[in-house]
């Protein structure tokens, strides 16, 4: 087992499926003690049991991050207790993606998406970062999205929340970086775990990219391990694109 995060305590939100689960599993595989959070206790137990079976350290905390300061503060307190008094790494991954466009997004949906995708990580960071700053070290990783910077004709609401998280990444890097807390973000491309034999519509979005295919959650998890580890000690305030070249490169077919 690698020891890149040996001795580190990590809190990963939305860690019962897809990208969050992959990050939690990757952190545990390189030595971190991970608190897995999510709304489903059953899925949380599955993730934790799998990590422990492979020799890693993990615990589950059920949490519904609804955007209230109280919910975020409670999770921060409980995670700090479970992790023995210290959180070294926070991954703000939990989020919702409603399939709507601007005309069909009602006020209730608007408020819910901003509550989960922006307010919850804002208040969770507010509850965790000061203790990191007092300790003189820590790493916060936010999840952005490629569609925050490359416009597509759907999901404007979701895109705007991810743009907010990328902006907060830079602001928090300026606010907490001088106290030793590194804040960075990952911007995933089209990332899904494909079902055997299934052709997903997301494949179309990756045509004309260097990768030419969708990514898997492991690709994002590997980037998160780097940003959480001491290997990225000189990295502050970046948005790391892990998107197969979608936002940076156009491949011209011959």
């Amino acid at each position: 087992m690698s020891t890149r995060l040996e001795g580190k305590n990590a809190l990963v939100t939305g860690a019962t499926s897809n990208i969050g689960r992959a990050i939690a599993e990757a952190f545990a595989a390189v030595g971190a003690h991970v608190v897995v959070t999510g709304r489903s206790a059953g899925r949380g137990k599955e993730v934790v049991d799998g990590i422990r079976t492979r020799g890693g350290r993990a615990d589950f905390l059920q949490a519904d991050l609804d955007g209230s300061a109280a919910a975020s503060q409670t999770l921060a307190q409980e995670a700090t207790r479970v992790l023995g008094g210290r959180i070294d790494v926070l991954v703000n991954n939990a989020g919702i993606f409603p399939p709507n466009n601007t005309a069909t997004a009602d006020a209730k949906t608007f408020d819910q998406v901003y509550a989960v995708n922006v307010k919850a990580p804002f208040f969770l960071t507010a509850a965790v970062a000061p203790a990191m700053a007092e300790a003189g070290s820590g790493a916060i990783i936010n999840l952005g999205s490629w569609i925050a910077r490359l416009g597509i004709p759907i999901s404007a609401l979701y895109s705007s929340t991810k743009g907010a998280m990328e902006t907060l990444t830079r602001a928090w890097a300026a606010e907490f970086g001088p106290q030793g807390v590194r804040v960075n973000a990952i911007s995933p491309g089209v990332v899904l775990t494909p079902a055997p034999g299934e052709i997903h519509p997301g494949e179309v979005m990756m045509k004309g990219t260097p990768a030419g295919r969708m990514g898997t959650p492991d690709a994002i998890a590997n980037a998160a391990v780097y940003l959480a580890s001491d290997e990225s000690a000189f990295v502050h305030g970046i948005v790391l694109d892990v998107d197969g070249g979608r936002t940076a490169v156009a491949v011209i077919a011959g």
Side-chain angles (χ1 to χ4, degrees):
M1 178 183 288
S2 171
T3 58
R4 293 168 72 188
L5 295 182
E6 187 69 36
K8 301 289 187 182
N9 295 330
L11 169 59
V12 183
T13 68
T16 59
S17 65
N18 204 30
I19 289 174
R21 176 172 183 165
I23 291 173
E25 292 173 340
F27 279 8
V30 294
H33 181 183
V34 183
V35 165
V36 172
T37 75
R39 288 175 291 183
S40 170
R43 291 195 304 181
K45 182 178 185 301
E46 179 186 342
V47 176
V48 168
D49 286 350
I51 289 173
R52 290 176 177 175
T53 297
R54 293 185 292 272
R57 300 177 65 199
D59 293 280
F60 174 70
L61 287 176
Q62 192 168 20
D64 183 5
L65 295 175
D66 58 5
S68 67
S72 292
Q73 289 164 358
T74 296
L75 176 58
Q77 291 165 2
E78 285 298 296
T80 300
R81 177 186 60 79
V82 169
L83 292 170
R86 188 186 78 249
I87 297 173
D88 302 302
V89 182
L90 168 64
V91 180
N92 286 312
N93 168 74
I96 55 176
F97 187 123
N100 55 30
N101 57 34
T102 302
T104 61
D106 58 26
K108 180 179 179 181
T109 301
F110 185 99
D111 290 342
Q112 182 185 24
V113 175
Y114 262 85
V116 175
N117 292 8
V118 181
K119 289 181 69 177
F122 183 94
F123 288 122
L124 185 56
T125 298
V128 170
M132 290 181 172
E134 185 176 352
S137 66
I140 297 172
I141 302 169
N142 299 318
L143 269 292
S145 174
W146 67 283
I147 60 174
R149 280 169 291 134
L150 183 63
I152 62 173
I154 57 173
S155 301
L157 174 57
Y158 175 83
S159 299
S160 69
T161 66
K162 289 305 180 179
M165 289 309 298
E166 293 188 6
T167 297
L168 284 170
T169 296
R170 292 182 284 271
W172 285 336
E175 184 175 354
F176 299 113
Q179 286 77 49
V181 182
R182 295 184 299 102
V183 186
N184 294 291
I186 300 171
S187 176
V190 182
V191 174
L192 291 169
T193 302
E198 176 185 300
I199 299 178
H200 193 276
E203 294 283 4
V204 175
M205 295 184 182
M206 294 306 290
K207 288 185 176 180
T209 67
R213 60 172 177 80
M214 293 192 301
T216 62
D218 288 348
I220 312 305
N222 290 336
V225 169
Y226 165 69
L227 290 175
S229 73
D230 293 339
E231 296 165 15
S232 59
F234 201 51
V235 181
H236 291 259
I238 71 160
V239 177
L240 178 58
D241 294 323
V242 186
D243 63 2
R246 175 73 283 173
T247 56
V249 181
V251 175
I252 300 174

